[in-house]
Amino acid sequence: MRTTVGIIGAGPAGLLLARLLHNAGIDSVVLESRDREYVERRQRAGILEQGTVDVLRAAGAGARMDREGLRHDGIELRFDRKRHRVDFPALTGGRSVMVYAQTEVCKDLIALQLADGGPLLFEAEALAVEDADSDSPRVRFRHEGREDVLECEYVVGCDGFWGVARNAIPAELTQVFERSYPFGWLGILADVPPSHDELVYARHDRGFALLSMRSPSVSRLYLQVPDGTDADEWGDEEIWDELERRFETADGWKLDRGPITQKSVTPMRSYVHEPMRHGHLFLAGDAAHIVPPTGAKGLNLAVGDVVTFARALTHQKETGSAQLLDAYSETCLRRVWQAERFSYDMTTLLHRTPDATPFEDRLQLARLERIAGAPSAETDLAEGYTGFPLD
């Protein structure tokens, strides 16, 4: 099998890249180790930055998002039993975010790819990327019980942290930057309408809490818990009780309860792999970087990566110049590190570490008061949350 771009992974990054290349007249093949049902049900991110929304629309994948997604023009910060709303459009020149689950993005892009795109192979396990530093890289993969080879001009690894693409970059050429956090998120899905029409980020002495949603009838909520927590250690009523404590306000706001349909624990870490390119192999998304979910940046960073690659390859096709492809890693990493900084700032602003001192507690409150009282600080948060430029 031969193609111009071999794409490993059919998450939102790989699928969007295939769509962008198709629209530019560049052929590709997508290899996905899981089956279609798994990809379309895999719960992950749910907040799309303004730039991501714009890219999906331009790619022809925004119709259902615009019908069913929930535009959000702000978030609420809670601390010391007080509430402060951050108005995104007023602070960013009109930008906002969209609540639209990653599962739905994948469904939309899969439908488009199967209708008029290049091959999309499910249950096709990539085994290795070979000859990445040559003009003819290859992806060995297993599909329908036999091994095969995908010969490419370029390979883009959108296969996540545990995928094979990153391993094709020699260790002596790489640098890794990472940080683990001593807490995670206990997340639940509940069949109850959200108790607030925008996301609520709460800093509390007992730990962080987040009120989010998947739809007008399904709530998504999170609690900060110690690293290594087993979700089954928490009973449903215990979860609701703790959420109520952490969201408590002086004005008597109430949290609505409902049946919990899913619960899991997400560990928290920051990770960057440099470089994001080796020869004709390019890394995108979690294959190259991971952020704690506090800043809602993971999916959006992956979108930025594949937009950068698609623009660079289209530029080469149209002009013959490889300048943008050669700059891929440097271009992506500028945006990646800004997102890492923002996500780290949000995480340390709102989470209480197990060994936090009263001094550190007061610093957190002072930082939140600064955001609530200083337009410059509030604008910095709003600009970071709604997204860094894709240019």
Side-chain angles (χ1 to χ4, degrees), residues 62 66 82 243:
D66 284 331
K82 294 182 290 190
L243 286 166

Side-chain angles (χ1 to χ4, degrees), residues 239-249 255 257:
I239 292 172
W240 287 117
D241 289 344
E242 189 62 26
L243 286 166
E244 279 193 351
R245 279 190 286 267
R246 298 190 192 184
F247 285 125
E248 184 182 16
T249 62
L255 177 69
R257 301 187 179 204

Side-chain angles (χ1 to χ4, degrees), residues 84-328:
H84 175 76
R85 181 175 185 266
V86 179
D87 186 332
F88 292 155
L91 296 163
T92 64
R95 298 212 305 270
S96 62
V97 297
M98 183 81 75
V99 176
Y100 191 63
Q102 173 177 312
T103 50
E104 306 311 309
V105 174
C106 288
K107 289 175 187 176
D108 297 340
L109 290 168
I110 287 170
L112 287 170
Q113 186 72 7
L114 294 179
D116 58 17
L120 167 54
L121 305 182
F122 290 104
E123 299 181 86
E125 179 188 6
L127 303 174
V129 178
E130 300 173 340
D131 300 325
D133 56 351
S134 76
D135 291 338
S136 303
R138 301 150 42 98
V139 182
R140 282 196 300 107
F141 68 99
R142 183 182 295 110
H143 184 236
E144 296 181 341
R146 64 178 184 275
E147 284 196 19
D148 204 342
V149 174
L150 177 62
E151 299 180 349
C152 321
E153 295 178 31
Y154 305 93
V155 175
V156 181
C158 304
D159 52 345
F161 182 78
W162 300 107
V164 301
R166 188 177 63 252
N167 294 330
I169 300 180
E172 62 271 18
L173 300 180
T174 69
Q175 276 189 294
V176 169
F177 306 87
E178 59 186 328
R179 179 188 180 94
S180 297
Y181 299 86
F183 44 74
W185 279 9
L186 171 62
I188 64 167
L189 279 175
D191 286 337
V192 59
S195 299
H196 197 272
D197 56 1
E198 293 178 336
L199 274 69
V200 177
Y201 287 77
R203 185 270 175 203
H204 193 277
D205 286 344
R206 295 176 63 90
F208 169 75
L210 171 62
L211 186 157
S212 182
M213 64 280 296
R214 282 294 177 263
S215 74
S217 60
V218 177
S219 293
R220 182 74 158 154
L221 301 108
Y222 299 92
L223 283 171
Q224 176 187 343
V225 294
D227 184 39
T229 295
D230 183 344
D232 291 333
E233 296 173 5
W234 286 74
D236 290 4
E237 290 306 307
E238 184 183 9
I239 292 172
W240 287 117
D241 289 344
E242 189 62 26
L243 286 166
E244 279 193 351
R245 279 190 286 267
R246 298 190 192 184
F247 285 125
E248 184 182 16
T249 62
D251 62 5
W253 179 90
K254 295 295 183 183
L255 177 69
D256 293 328
R257 301 187 179 204
I260 294 175
T261 59
Q262 184 184 110
K263 56 184 175 181
S264 61
V265 173
T266 301
M268 306 279 278
R269 65 187 302 222
S270 300
Y271 174 90
V272 179
H273 178 284
E274 296 186 8
M276 291 176 58
R277 177 201 176 177
H278 175 60
H280 282 221
L281 168 64
F282 298 76
L283 304 181
D286 286 0
H289 43 72
I290 295 171
V291 290
T294 325
K297 289 283 163 278
L299 182 155
N300 297 289
L301 268 185
V303 167
D305 294 342
V306 298
V307 167
T308 300
F309 177 82
R311 286 175 177 171
L313 189 57
T314 302
H315 178 76
Q316 184 189 55
K317 176 185 175 184
E318 293 174 348
T319 69
S321 170
Q323 180 181 3
L324 297 184
L325 281 173
D326 292 341
Y328 171 81

